[in-house]
Amino acid sequence: MDEIDRKILFYLLKDGRISQNKLAKLLNISSPSINARFRRLLEEGIIRSFKLFVNPNICGKYFMYVAFPNLRDIEDDRIFVKFRCLENFNVYGIEAENLSEIDRVIEDFSLTLGSPIMKYAPRQNLIIMKKNIAKILSVLSENPRAEIREIALKTSYKAEKIRRTLLKLKEIVRIVPEVDLIKADSLLLGIFTKKLEEIKRFTVHCSVITIDNTEGEGVEICFTGGIKESKNIVDLVRRIDPYAQVMLVYDYLIRGIKAFSNC
């Protein structure tokens, strides 16, 4: 792993469908060099896989992120993402048919994990699935990095229609690499803050995901080179928002969508 490898991972975390040609241009190195590095990251298990990661609202479900003490762990079909943190907690993305059901899921999990440390519910906006979107996402569920021409061949849609659809969905549908952060000698830094716009000025160089909420509240997820870089960012964050909550993620798991017809 070197700085170029980390930059490749950074850009893939921002956009898991980014082409190798575009990566070569962004990093100002040759396409064969990018191809060799990309292949090695896969072969060495630094990139474990690519997953189709969708906002549960697109499947007609509500969701919430909940932190529990990490003395124990739990596996459950209602968990769509899990973050293992260096602090004394893990964060679970939980989905359910309605908000009352989410409360019941949290109560169920609490029997095993203990009382939740933190809860965070982004804005919820249930989406009515259109047939063309379902068909495109079904192809991506089989091959998250499928090229436009492959999607066009399997859906019989024109390439421009597919591009427009994916552009419209970019805030709620992502292709995400599952990176072995330990092998990559890196971390994900999560920042929960009520001063998101101010914080973003200091995280623009490392931000991979931003989750906006209401009244300036939100979550910033950054990809960092380890503890030292993370600490420097946290120090800057604390000056702006002393009450911001942070988490250092050393491992994460994404359920992904394998059978999109039933999410």
Side-chain angles (χ1 to χ4, degrees), residues 20-34:
Q20 293 185 36
N21 286 336
K22 188 171 182 179
L23 280 171
K25 291 178 182 178
L26 285 168
L27 298 174
N28 196 29
I29 61 177
S30 69
S31 291
S33 178
I34 282 288

Side-chain angles (χ1 to χ4, degrees), residues 45-175:
I46 294 172
I47 298 176
R48 294 189 291 231
S49 65
F50 286 88
K51 297 287 183 66
L52 173 62
F53 181 73
V54 302
N55 182 316
N57 289 166
I58 205 172
C59 300
K61 296 179 181 179
Y62 292 86
F63 67 103
M64 181 180 291
Y65 295 99
V66 186
F68 286 99
N70 64 2
L71 294 177
R72 297 182 181 86
D73 196 5
I74 195 168
E75 301 294 333
D76 193 283
D77 291 340
R78 295 165 292 186
I79 298 170
F80 64 92
V81 65
K82 181 188 301 183
F83 299 99
R84 295 192 172 111
C85 306
L86 291 179
E87 296 84 355
N88 64 338
F89 59 82
N90 292 332
V91 177
Y92 300 84
I94 297 170
E95 65 179 21
E97 299 296 330
N98 53 63
L99 296 176
S100 296
E101 180 62 25
I102 285 181
D103 288 338
R104 286 192 286 272
V105 174
I106 293 173
E107 289 177 6
D108 288 346
F109 286 9
S110 296
L111 297 175
T112 300
L113 302 176
S115 299
I117 296 171
M118 180 188 67
K119 301 178 185 178
Y120 177 74
R123 285 178 291 184
Q124 307 286 303
N125 182 26
L126 297 190
I127 298 165
I128 299 174
M129 179 65 61
K130 294 182 179 179
K131 182 179 178 181
N132 66 311
I133 294 176
K135 287 182 70 174
I136 291 171
L137 295 185
S138 291
V139 175
L140 290 176
S141 70
E142 298 172 359
N143 179 10
R145 281 180 55 83
E147 296 184 4
I148 295 293
R149 62 175 178 267
E150 179 182 343
I151 301 172
L153 183 64
K154 292 189 175 183
T155 61
S156 299
Y157 295 150
K158 292 183 178 179
E160 186 56 33
K161 178 178 181 178
I162 295 169
R163 289 192 185 93
R164 288 199 307 268
T165 300
L166 292 177
L167 185 60
K168 289 179 181 178
L169 295 174
K170 68 177 183 177
E171 298 300 326
I172 55 176
V173 175
R174 297 175 60 91
I175 305 304

Side-chain angles (χ1 to χ4, degrees), residues 196-218:
L196 183 62
E197 290 305 315
E198 296 176 62
I199 296 297
K200 285 165 64 175
R201 297 204 308 266
F202 298 98
T203 58
V204 64
H205 68 289
C206 61
S207 174
V208 293
I209 302 173
T210 300
I211 304 172
D212 293 319
N213 211 334
T214 57
E215 300 178 355
E217 184 182 55

